[in-house]
Amino acid sequence: MFNDNKMRIGILTSGGDCPGINATIRGVCKTAIHHYGMDVLGIHDGFLGLLTKDVEEITDKSLSGLLNMGGTFLGTSREKPFKKGGMTPDGIHKPTLIAENMKELGIDCLVCIGGNGTQKTAAKFAAMGVNIVSVPKTIDNDIWGTDISFGFDTAVSIATDAIDRLHSTASSHKRVMVIEVMGHKAGWIALYSGMAGGGDVILLPEIPFDINNITEAIQNRIHRGKTYSIIVVAEGIQTDGVKRPAAYIAEEIERATGIETRETVLGYIQRGGSPTPFDRNLSTRMGGHATELIADGMFGRMIALKGDEISSIPLSEVAGKLNLVTEAHDLVVQGRRMGICFG
Ligand code: F6P
């Protein structure tokens, strides 16, 4: 069991699951146990586990097999302790209860692995004086302050493989195939998988589109003898503030061009299964550096990838911002030059 004069880390995962979370947990915990001689407490189901003190001691044995395992073995939730005043049904202030429970559990510092919502929550706990370090997690890659979040590379790899496979049906049936990938506010998965998968039209939430431009682009391709087209859209695309799913795009194309058009929504497949080697190593590095921050007493910070270096930035700088695609991104510039339609 635990030894009172050792530093004790609490670790939780919050928000949507994502490939690489377990690898990150492994990086944090193995570094803590082997390099720094710390104790580690795994917290179940995100911040819910801190409200109910639902925890487990993490040992080397707990960490076996995590590196290539999808999801999060600790479980996750979308519990936001500060939301709506942060009160439990019986009038207890959740953040205060969490801070008290951390003290009772002997947690010296909390490691939170999560997306934008989790970073906001972590920033508020840091402002309360709770020792906290966070690791950015999302397949959307929309967390500001880090070049890449783990999970993104795996999602792009899964989406690109799916797009490659959909070329078969498109070419065999002379169809237009519309593939919807994840990404509510940020179109990073659509951009990277669309370009890697040979998309002819790529639609992002960040770049407004006109459906007439899309249908015209398809018709121009036909006039150039291109018998099929591949369209990749982010789930968050919209026109005039109205979300436009793949089914809408497919219907509009078939109506305007008369070409058989089918849609495929990849959904949660993009978050499932084993992380790519890139994501395993990024997760391992980010996890280990999170523990290093704690050992150095540097709290209130989010781990970040800058170029090929792992660094960290104050949580106060991250909360509320998004990492979005711009027209100036090289893949957009090069894509346009090659005749790819962005809307
Ligand atoms: O933020 C990651 C993400 O997978 C988004 O791409 C997607 O829209 C959302 O989570 C789905 O959320 P939930 O898992 O709550 O359905």
Side-chain angles (χ1 to χ4, degrees), residues 16 78 138-140 182-184 235 268 271:
R78 291 194 183 276
T138 175
I139 63 166
D140 293 0
M182 281 189 158
H184 256 315
E235 65 181 322
Y268 295 89
R271 290 186 356 195

Side-chain angles (χ1 to χ4, degrees), residues 127-258:
M128 272 176 64
V130 171
N131 292 340
I132 201 161
V133 165
S134 74
V135 182
K137 169 270 324 164
T138 175
I139 63 166
D140 293 0
N141 199 41
D142 60 358
I143 297 174
W144 187 88
T146 181
D147 291 351
I148 296 179
S149 295
F150 73 78
F152 173 63
D153 184 64
T154 305
V156 170
S157 174
I158 293 167
T160 303
D161 179 66
I163 294 166
D164 287 349
R165 294 174 184 279
L166 289 168
H167 275 265
S168 309
T169 293
S171 58
S172 308
H173 291 261
K174 297 179 179 49
R175 279 175 174 166
V176 177
M177 299 302 282
V178 182
I179 301 102
E180 182 181 301
V181 298
M182 281 189 158
H184 256 315
K185 298 192 177 77
W188 292 107
I189 299 174
L191 177 61
Y192 272 67
S193 65
M195 290 296 286
D200 305 301
V201 177
I202 300 173
L203 302 182
L204 313 177
E206 297 94 330
I207 300 178
F209 73 94
D210 177 335
I211 193 66
N212 298 311
N213 294 343
I214 312 307
T215 53
E216 191 183 325
I218 303 293
Q219 279 156 339
N220 290 342
R221 284 180 50 80
I222 294 165
H223 297 147
R224 297 201 310 271
K226 304 283 188 172
T227 57
Y228 71 91
S229 294
I230 297 289
I231 301 187
V232 182
V233 306
E235 65 181 322
I237 60 167
Q238 49 184 290
T239 48
D240 307 324
V242 177
K243 265 193 77 174
R244 297 296 186 187
Y248 162 82
I249 302 290
E251 279 159 27
E252 288 297 303
I253 289 170
E254 186 159 329
R255 186 184 54 74
T257 66

